[in-house]
Amino acid sequence: MYTPWTYNSAPTEIIIRNSTMNSDEQQQLKSWLYDIATDRDKNAFTALFSWFAPKIIQFGIQKLNTESAANELLQETMTNIWRKAHLFNGDKGEATTWVYSIMRNLSFDMLRKVRSNREDTLSEDIWPMAEAQLVQEDSFDDHLMSSNLLKNIDILPEAQKEVVKGLYLEEMSQEQLATKLAIPLGTVKSRLRLALIKLKQQIGESK
Amino acid sequence: MITHHPHYELLNAYVEGELPASLSAGIAVHAEMCEICAKNIQRITEEAAANTFSDDANVYNSLSKKVITDKAFDNISEFDLMMKSIMEDDSITEMMTQEPLDVEIKGTTYPLPTALRSMAMMGWQKLGKLSRARINLNEGSLHTSLLHIDKDGGVPSHTHKGFELTLLLEGSFEDEKGTYVKGDFIWLTDKHTHTPHTKEGCLCYTVADDALQFTQGLSKLLNPIGKFIY
Ligand SMILES: [Zn+2]
């Protein structure tokens, strides 16, 4: 199983073949994800589910060998998409890459359960990117600050407005705000993320 | 500067989630310290995603032995039910913020890489300048450890029956082929014999699939060290 890979080959930058996904399709997937994130949009989720399901089943059968395991992978992947859509950042990558990472992580943990009889979920530590990419960009960039973004603050639900005001008008840190509002830091970050998506949609930067 | 990196095939298997946890973690930790490999992993992931989800996916996958049966799609209502049950729960997953973890050995504290933070780590065992903490992943013949070598310490000349991955987390060491620094991903097989030695001390993450074989005399005497390190 373990081929003796050469161990000190100097890596070069890998050239990737042209993707067979067209950009309209990628835009459509992104837009469904944004609708799920901001509005819990069931039609968008239904569309996204139908688009990904056959391919996830196919991947599951290849990696996990049985149809029942593939079905479990589908269920888990789609549940994660439904609950984590607000963590997707379309500026950083395609929807397909994000969904693939979620699916691969779940499949890794399922495989590990079979091979090593362990119920741990190490994938989240091994591939923290899906969530971690947010931690690095959990603030508005200058370009957005200088735009009219904050003028649209009134379209936001109260909870998100409170977070944006605290961070950008009262200039509190995320930690200070979490303490003041008595909510976990993660909730501050999630609300900020949702507010960002919504405000960007408003001025037509996303979608 | 890092000069030792995982080979393309290894990165590819990592991206597809096919490597054992021990090796996957080794690559993840290396990529945290190596921009080139991090970038390549990102690209391979994009490509794997596009291949998996493109409309050509059927053609692409027909090369493999397992071709999906139509049966899986027969029961549309089953998928319908699944979809509805998912949407019934309206909760969202909050982002987790994680406190950094440390590991302490011989009076020095080292930050524990993210990829290792949930792994079951046993206590430190010490033998002279060597200290080892086994990481219990239950991966059969694959043995994973943290290995610390104190200042001016080393391991006697040895080779490997299978392979040995050494990932330098802190410090540096030398062997017959040169000097290795923090971040180096060193993959040795039975073709390699070496005698690692460290001046400043080092902390390594190691994955080995077979006991070391000592190549010099006194092998009986050295044997416990082989078992100790493996
Ligand atoms: Zn590298």
Side-chain angles (χ1 to χ4, degrees):
Chain A
M1 172 176 179
Y2 303 107
T3 10
W5 290 285
T6 53
Y7 68 97
N8 62 348
S9 58
T12 46
E13 289 203 359
I14 291 165
I15 298 155
I16 295 300
R17 277 168 268 149
N18 282 334
S19 161
T20 43
M21 298 277 306
N22 73 48
S23 63
D24 286 351
E25 213 165 13
Q26 290 285 14
Q27 272 316 111
Q28 176 65 74
L29 295 173
K30 274 185 192 178
S31 138
W32 283 333
L33 277 177
Y34 286 134
D35 289 343
I36 296 167
T38 54
D39 302 322
R40 313 302 284 153
D41 186 325
K42 293 189 175 180
N43 290 330
F45 185 73
T46 306
L48 201 75
F49 189 104
S50 311
W51 197 93
F52 278 109
K55 289 151 185 162
I56 294 175
I57 288 287
Q58 187 164 352
F59 178 92
I61 289 174
Q62 279 187 319
K63 301 280 175 193
L64 305 165
N65 282 314
T66 69
E67 277 184 21
S68 69
N71 271 323
E72 191 187 333
L73 180 68
L74 174 63
Q75 167 123 28
E76 289 299 312
T77 305
M78 294 314 298
T79 303
N80 270 273
I81 292 171
W82 176 245
R83 291 190 186 158
K84 291 183 175 175
H86 61 290
L87 300 178
F88 169 68
N89 182 351
D91 299 338
K92 292 275 163 75
E94 301 293 0
T96 43
T97 310
W98 188 71
V99 171
Y100 180 86
S101 301
I102 289 175
M103 173 183 76
R104 184 267 327 276
N105 286 12
L106 291 162
S107 142
F108 174 88
D109 288 330
M110 287 171 73
L111 259 183
R112 177 160 163 74
K113 204 160 131 187
V114 174
R115 286 178 183 167
S116 296
N117 194 26
R118 289 294 158 94
E119 304 251 354
D120 44 19
T121 49
L122 298 178
S123 66
E124 288 176 12
D125 293 332
I126 293 172
W127 293 278
M129 54 134 292
E131 278 102 315
Q133 69 172 196
L134 265 172
V135 179
Q136 294 145 19
E137 71 75 53
D138 51 12
S139 60
F140 293 90
D141 43 46
D142 292 341
H143 152 69
L144 291 169
M145 277 296 284
S146 61
S147 75
N148 290 326
L149 210 57
L150 290 174
K151 285 189 182 161
N152 293 314
I153 194 167
D154 284 330
I155 65 158
L156 297 175
E158 203 49 47
Q160 292 169 25
K161 203 192 296 180
E162 200 173 46
V163 167
V164 173
K165 274 187 176 165
L167 294 176
Y168 294 97
L169 302 177
E170 296 162 34
E171 295 186 336
M172 298 170 86
S173 73
Q174 295 190 357
E175 287 78 9
Q176 288 169 331
L177 193 62
T179 310
K180 186 192 162 199
L181 300 176
I183 53 175
L185 186 57
T187 308
V188 172
K189 289 177 191 291
S190 300
R191 286 181 188 169
L192 175 61
R193 177 84 201 126
L194 286 173
L196 177 63
I197 296 171
K198 217 162 198 152
L199 290 174
K200 283 170 101 181
Q201 276 180 337
Q202 188 68 18
I203 59 166
E205 283 219 352
S206 289
K207 289 189 118 178
Chain B
M1 200 186 91
I2 299 176
T3 52
H4 298 256
H5 308 263
H7 193 265
Y8 175 80
E9 277 78 13
L10 209 49
L11 292 186
N12 208 48
Y14 164 77
V15 163
E16 297 201 2
E18 285 171 352
L19 292 181
S22 50
L23 293 178
S24 301
I27 290 172
V29 176
H30 172 79
E32 266 180 48
M33 300 186 266
C34 175
E35 240 176 86
I36 308 169
C37 287
K39 208 163 156 191
N40 281 338
I41 287 167
Q42 177 62 25
R43 290 185 184 178
I44 297 169
T45 310
E46 283 162 17
E47 190 194 25
N51 282 336
T52 303
F53 294 133
S54 73
D55 284 333
D56 300 340
N58 290 322
V59 182
Y60 177 79
N61 285 324
S62 69
L63 296 171
S64 73
K65 279 182 195 130
K66 288 176 214 103
V67 177
I68 187 160
T69 60
D70 286 338
K71 210 177 103 214
F73 303 117
D74 273 356
N75 207 342
I76 297 296
S77 63
E78 196 187 317
F79 284 156
D80 233 40
L81 276 177
M82 187 190 283
M83 208 154 59
K84 289 203 172 98
S85 76
I86 291 171
M87 291 190 288
E88 262 167 31
D89 182 353
D90 219 24
S91 62
I92 63 167
T93 304
E94 302 283 7
M95 274 164 42
M96 304 287 283
T97 41
Q98 290 182 319
E99 295 296 318
L101 293 180
D102 289 330
V103 48
E104 204 202 316
I105 178 70
K106 299 237 167 158
T108 311
T109 305
Y110 302 95
L112 190 68
T114 309
L116 312 182
R117 59 178 295 133
S118 304
M119 294 181 174
M121 206 167 293
M122 317 309 271
W124 289 98
Q125 288 182 285
K126 293 168 193 172
L127 186 73
K129 298 204 173 195
L130 299 176
S131 310
R132 185 208 64 193
R134 186 79 85 202
I135 298 174
N136 188 358
L137 292 169
N138 202 29
E139 292 184 318
S141 67
L142 285 186
H143 287 198
T144 304
S145 308
L146 285 184
L147 181 69
H148 181 266
I149 311 177
D150 219 357
K151 284 188 196 79
D152 283 320
V155 180
S157 178
H158 64 275
T159 182
H160 313 85
K161 262 200 235 157
F163 72 81
E164 179 197 59
L165 162 66
T166 305
L167 181 63
L168 251 167
L169 300 177
E170 292 288 342
S172 65
F173 72 81
E174 305 84 51
D175 68 7
E176 292 81 349
K177 288 221 176 101
T179 301
Y180 307 89
V181 298
K182 180 176 173 174
D184 268 332
F185 186 99
I186 307 145
W187 188 276
L188 296 173
T189 67
D190 57 0
K191 291 192 196 77
H192 310 100
T193 299
H194 70 157
T195 318
H197 183 270
T198 176
K199 283 187 201 121
E200 56 166 325
C202 62
L203 179 70
C204 305
Y205 172 78
T206 66
V207 183
D209 80 338
D210 212 338
L212 308 186
Q213 298 214 302
F214 289 93
T215 53
Q216 292 175 348
L218 303 174
S219 64
K220 269 185 190 165
L221 240 165
L222 295 170
N223 204 32
I225 302 179
K227 281 203 182 118
F228 181 76
I229 293 170
Y230 164 53

